[in-house]
């Protein structure tokens, strides 16, 4: 098997008072930065059918590049733009490897 892509899920719970427009404007700031990073493949934002749970889904070429992007984002405190819009402590991040047969 050959390791190919890393999928990163960032889960957030949005406050009841947050509008979709507010969230999308902040997501645009984050995504514009991530799209310029080495190894970026694509990004997606999805909302659970019920409730206020949203997921950022990022695909990056490999885990080393994911770590590099993460370090830059943390140094810039880029996700802090979301703080006023989400439930405190609701953000979580998980990573998955996709494998394809060689």
């Amino acid at each position: 098997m050959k390791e190919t892509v890393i999928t990163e899920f960032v889960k957030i719970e949005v406050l009841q008072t947050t509008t979709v427009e507010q969230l999308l404007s902040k997501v645009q700031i984050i995504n514009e930065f991530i799209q310029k990073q080495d190894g970026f493949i694509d990004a997606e934002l999805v909302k659970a059918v019920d409730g206020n749970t949203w997921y950022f889904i990022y695909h990056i070429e490999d885990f080393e590049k994911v770590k590099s992007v993460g370090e830059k984002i943390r140094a810039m405190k880029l996700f802090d733009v979301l703080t006023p819009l989400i439930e405190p402590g609701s953000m979580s991040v998980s990573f998955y490897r996709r494998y394809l047969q060689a």
Side-chain angles (χ1 to χ4, degrees), residues 58-85:
Y58 297 107
H59 294 104
I60 309 280
E61 288 177 3
D62 61 50
F63 201 67
E64 290 304 314
K65 291 178 181 175
V66 169
K67 289 192 289 187
S68 175
V69 171
E71 289 170 6
K72 292 174 187 176
I73 288 171
R74 284 187 296 280
M76 295 174 64
K77 299 184 180 186
L78 198 54
F79 272 90
D80 287 359
V81 299
L82 294 175
T83 301
L85 305 178

Side-chain angles (χ1 to χ4, degrees), residues 6 18 101:
I6 300 295
T18 299
Q101 290 184 336

Side-chain angles (χ1 to χ4, degrees), residues 35-73:
Q35 290 170 358
K36 296 175 186 172
Q37 302 308 302
D38 184 37
F40 172 83
I41 297 171
D42 63 18
E44 187 174 1
L45 177 67
V46 297
K47 181 184 182 292
V49 174
D50 295 320
N52 288 321
T53 303
W54 291 75
Y55 293 89
F56 296 82
I57 304 168
Y58 297 107
H59 294 104
I60 309 280
E61 288 177 3
D62 61 50
F63 201 67
E64 290 304 314
K65 291 178 181 175
V66 169
K67 289 192 289 187
S68 175
V69 171
E71 289 170 6
K72 292 174 187 176
I73 288 171

